[in-house]
């Protein structure tokens, strides 16, 4: 057995401050009742290679966290070596090449703010604190995502430390199997990403947000409007609605319809604004804001008000193209049972085009529905923790699968990629990580006919 020697920090289970450190890594404050055997905070690639060698020599498995913002915290496993990637937080931008290089510990909002200053853009996530490590591995639903597509489509290459303890470059032409699997396998990926090479975009010239706030009594009209608008909603709008018990923190229960607009041309901008202006139910709104540009700070502040820190979270989701008549009874039930704000129900009109990129990521659909239950006091965990999972279970016959972004696979099994892709990921895993140094997802669906038969036997 080797001793672990790295230039970064090593904190062993049982040492003073260990528990606070582990719980401090979690955005979701629910105690997973498991603890790693040690937490390591590497400073560089050599440290990580030494950690991999050490873990193998002592027969321990490895987990990785970049920003700690996954709701299910797959990186907390009993007895594992937990690698915190917070020191991999450097980035650089090459404006001529329209590319950027960034470590997994870079916050999406940090990258976005740096790019804005240079009139550049990347479809980073909607909240502060989410790091690009976990975000890009699972897919990445970011700002302007309906136009730019899922964010991992803008990853050009990655540097990865494999289960062999080798640093490799993964791209469409080098280690293409790893590159394919890394874009979409999220918390089930079997390698340590130490750098992303990203494609970046010009900052859309016309940026604004419009919002219509409706009382809950208009639930039927609001969801029918959103559903029927469907794919006709201009792509420059990332249309979404939030049902919440306390709209804008002052009003009562209702639905906030948001239209963040990222338009490249004046025509595109006008088209986007017209969609909201001409809404047939606009007159029913308590508040209908004109288009205004909130700037990057306020944009993040607005979304963060729905995702406060220091809370416990029970989160689950589904993709669907079910009919609105099938969905509405469930939406009404959500309204009747929704826990107190800031808990909420998110509806997103995604309506993707065909996914042209060949990668592990492979599940999306017209409508995204996610339930976020959150509560401050640990004593309320029993009261609110099951709501999202139980409610999703009642609707799962209408779903085609889930996003890994808001996965709750520790509580409910669901399909997060196509059967074919899941099988391929597992084949690559068997080759790249034959001894299972890295963990899989908390759960996964039965993905092929033979396995289904075995279960039925
Ligand atoms: C407030 C909030 C807002 C969010 N908003 C969005 C959003 O707008 N769009 C969206 O798509 N998602 C969003 N998410 C979900 C989020 O993108 C995912 O949970 C993502 O995994 C978080 O990345 P992280 O690095 O912060 O998380 P972590 O919890 O640290 O990582 C999640 C998992 O990814 C793997 N991982 C992380 N880093 C590495 C690495 N370097 N190498 C290998 N594996 C690694 C590990 O298996 C880990 O368990 C949000 C989550 C929260 C809490």
């Amino acid at each position: 057995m080797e001793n672990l020697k790295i230039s970064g920090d090593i904190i062993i289970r049982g040492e003073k401050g260990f528990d606070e450190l582990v719980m401090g890594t979690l955005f979701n404050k629910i105690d997973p009742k498991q603890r790693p055997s040690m937490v390591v905070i590497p400073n560089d690639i050599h440290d990580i290679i030494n950690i991999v060698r050490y873990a193998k020599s002592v027969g321990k498995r490895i987990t990785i966290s970049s920003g700690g913002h996954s709701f299910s915290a797959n990186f907390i496993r009993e007895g594992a070596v937990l690698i915190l990637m917070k020191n991999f937080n450097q980035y650089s931008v090459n404006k001529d090449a329209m590319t950027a290089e960034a470590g997994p510990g870079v916050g999406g909002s940090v990258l976005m703010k740096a790019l804005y200053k240079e009139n550049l853009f990347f479809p980073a996530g909607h909240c502060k604190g989410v790091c690009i490590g976990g975000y890009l591995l699972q897919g990445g639903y970011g700002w302007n995502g309906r136009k730019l597509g899922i964010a991992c489509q803008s990853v050009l290459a990655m540097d990865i430390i494999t289960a062999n303890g080798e640093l490799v470059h993964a791209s469409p032409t080098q280690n293409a199997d790893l590159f394919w699997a890394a874009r979409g396998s999220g918390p089930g990926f079997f390698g340590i990403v130490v750098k992303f090479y990203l494609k970046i975009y010009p900052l859309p010239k016309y940026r604004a947000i419009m919002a219509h706030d409706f009382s809950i009594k208009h639930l039927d009209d609001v969801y029918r409007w959103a559903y029927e608008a469907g794919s006709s909603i201009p792509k420059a709008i990332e249309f979404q609605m939030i049902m919440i018990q306390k709209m804008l923190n002052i009003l009562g229960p209702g639905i906030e319809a948001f239209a963040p607009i990222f338009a490249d041309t004046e025509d595109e901008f006008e088209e986007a604004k017209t969609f909201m202006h001409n809404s047939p139910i606009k007159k029913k709104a308590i508040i209908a804001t004109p288009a205004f540009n909130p700037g990057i700070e306020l944009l993040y502040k607005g979304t963060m008000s729905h995702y406060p820190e220091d809370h416990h979270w029970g989160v689950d989701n589904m993709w669907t193209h079910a009919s609105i008549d099938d969905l509405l009874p469930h939406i009404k039930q959500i309204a009747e049972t929704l826990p107190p704000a800031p808990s909420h129900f998110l509806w997103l009109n995604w309506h993707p085009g065909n996914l042209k990129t060949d990668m592990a990521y492979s599940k999306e659909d017209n409508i995204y529905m996610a339930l976020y239950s959150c509560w401050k006091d640990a004593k309320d965990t029993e009261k609110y923790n099951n709501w999202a999972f139980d409610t999703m279970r009642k609707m799962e016959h209408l779903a085609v699968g889930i996003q890994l972004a808001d996965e709750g696979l520790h509580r409910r099994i669901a399909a997060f990629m196509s059967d074919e892709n899941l099988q391929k990921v597992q084949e690559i895993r068997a080759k790249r990580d034959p001894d299972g140094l890295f963990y899989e997802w908390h759960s996964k669906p039965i993905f092929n006919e033979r396995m289904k038969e075995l279960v039925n036997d």
Side-chain angles (χ1 to χ4, degrees):
M1 182 170 118
E2 291 180 22
N3 276 333
L4 176 60
K5 289 193 195 72
I6 58 170
S7 68
D9 293 331
I10 304 172
I11 308 95
I12 311 277
R13 184 166 172 167
E15 281 179 5
K16 196 165 172 274
F18 179 84
D19 222 47
E20 291 75 5
L21 173 68
V22 172
M23 285 306 291
T25 61
L26 300 167
F27 176 81
N28 188 351
K29 294 300 167 208
I30 295 181
D31 187 337
K33 309 279 187 215
Q34 299 186 42
R35 294 293 183 266
S37 61
M38 63 168 71
V39 179
V40 288
I41 310 177
N43 283 331
D44 54 32
I45 284 163
H46 302 294
D47 279 356
I48 298 187
I49 291 172
N50 284 340
I51 294 163
V52 170
R53 284 192 188 138
Y54 164 79
K56 287 168 77 114
S57 77
V58 297
K60 287 192 185 302
R61 301 179 75 188
I62 284 178
T63 62
I64 310 124
S65 172
S66 289
H69 270 56
S70 50
F71 290 103
S72 77
N74 201 23
F75 59 86
I76 303 286
R77 298 292 191 138
E78 185 58 36
V81 175
L82 167 58
I83 306 181
L84 299 185
M85 298 297 286
K86 62 184 189 183
N87 292 334
F88 286 69
N89 60 352
Q90 287 84 29
Y91 59 87
S92 62
V93 177
N94 183 336
K95 200 170 178 173
D96 294 331
M98 292 300 275
T99 57
E101 294 180 11
V106 173
S109 65
V110 174
L111 179 66
M112 191 70 139
K113 279 184 209 165
L115 291 175
Y116 256 58
K117 282 194 190 132
E118 305 224 35
N119 270 317
L120 297 170
F121 191 86
F122 183 78
H126 301 91
C127 285
K128 287 184 179 176
V130 173
C131 282
I132 65 167
Y135 172 78
L136 290 173
L137 284 170
Q138 50 91 19
Y141 300 81
W143 295 114
N144 207 12
R146 290 190 62 230
K147 261 175 80 181
L148 299 178
I150 204 77
C152 64
Q153 287 174 290
S154 297
V155 176
L156 301 169
M158 301 174 202
D159 289 340
I160 297 172
I161 293 175
T162 65
N164 286 337
E166 235 184 307
L167 173 66
V168 300
H169 188 68
S171 73
T173 51
Q174 284 172 270
N175 297 290
D177 59 333
L178 276 181
F179 186 62
W180 183 90
R183 289 169 306 151
S185 48
F189 184 58
F190 36 87
I192 304 158
V193 180
V194 294
K195 193 192 272 187
F196 291 94
Y197 298 80
L198 306 173
K199 176 179 177 182
I200 54 173
Y201 301 86
L203 179 65
K205 203 164 162 195
Y206 303 90
R207 303 177 302 279
I209 188 152
M210 295 173 84
H212 295 174
D213 292 67
F214 300 93
S215 152
I216 203 72
K217 69 181 179 199
H218 297 303
L219 181 149
D220 264 79
D221 292 338
V222 173
Y223 285 95
R224 273 191 194 281
W225 163 59
Y227 188 91
E228 279 155 19
S231 60
S232 73
I233 299 179
K235 288 277 187 200
I237 302 181
E238 211 195 315
F239 184 83
Q240 50 195 280
M241 303 196 296
I242 286 183
M243 181 198 286
I244 190 161
Q245 295 282 19
K246 213 171 171 191
M247 279 191 299
L248 300 173
N249 230 4
I250 45 167
L251 303 172
I255 304 145
E256 305 168 336
F258 290 108
I261 302 173
F262 292 93
D264 294 310
T265 64
E266 203 169 343
D267 284 352
E268 209 178 45
F269 192 38
E270 285 309 316
E271 187 198 12
K273 284 189 293 183
T274 305
F275 168 74
M276 290 298 275
H277 276 314
N278 290 354
S279 154
I281 57 164
K282 187 179 163 190
K283 56 184 179 308
K284 295 189 176 172
I286 305 169
I287 298 171
T289 66
F292 73 103
N293 182 353
I296 183 90
E297 274 299 337
L298 204 54
L299 198 60
Y300 276 107
K301 213 170 163 187
T303 49
M304 288 306 291
S305 67
H306 291 110
Y307 301 92
E309 289 181 355
D310 289 331
H311 277 60
H312 306 76
W313 294 80
V315 175
D316 204 350
N317 74 84
M318 68 185 244
W319 285 115
T320 184
H321 58 256
S323 75
I324 188 63
D325 289 326
D326 284 342
L327 291 171
L328 268 176
H330 294 280
I331 295 173
K332 283 178 192 156
Q333 207 186 19
I334 292 171
E336 281 158 19
T337 56
L338 184 62
S343 299
H344 61 274
F345 159 44
L346 171 74
W347 164 292
L348 177 70
N349 273 56
W350 182 250
H351 284 271
N354 288 334
L355 257 186
K356 291 188 191 81
T357 313
D358 183 22
M359 55 185 173
Y361 177 90
S362 44
K363 272 258 175 256
E364 48 183 26
D365 209 328
N366 294 346
I367 307 293
Y368 179 63
M369 296 174 34
L371 300 171
Y372 303 86
S373 176
C374 71
W375 57 98
K376 187 126 186 159
D377 200 328
K379 74 174 169 27
D380 289 331
T381 298
E382 215 172 302
K383 198 164 158 194
Y384 298 124
N385 192 21
N386 294 333
W387 176 75
F389 309 105
D390 289 349
T391 309
M392 276 299 163
R393 252 178 225 116
K394 289 184 193 141
M395 298 192 283
E396 63 190 3
H397 60 290
L398 301 175
V400 298
I402 64 156
Q403 269 190 27
L404 285 173
D406 296 326
E407 55 102 352
L409 292 169
H410 57 313
R411 299 290 310 278
R412 186 176 74 88
I413 302 174
F416 46 82
M417 63 177 73
S418 70
D419 288 358
E420 192 191 353
N421 283 16
L422 180 54
Q423 189 153 354
K424 186 167 162 186
V425 167
Q426 297 301 66
E427 283 161 14
I428 301 171
R429 181 195 307 280
K431 209 171 69 187
R432 291 288 190 168
D433 182 18
D435 301 326
L437 183 66
F438 299 100
Y439 287 79
E440 295 193 15
W441 312 269
H442 277 117
S443 68
K444 60 179 182 293
I446 297 160
F447 61 85
N448 68 31
E449 289 309 314
R450 181 62 197 129
M451 284 183 72
K452 278 182 196 158
E453 278 168 27
L454 288 173
V455 169
N456 291 337
D457 290 348

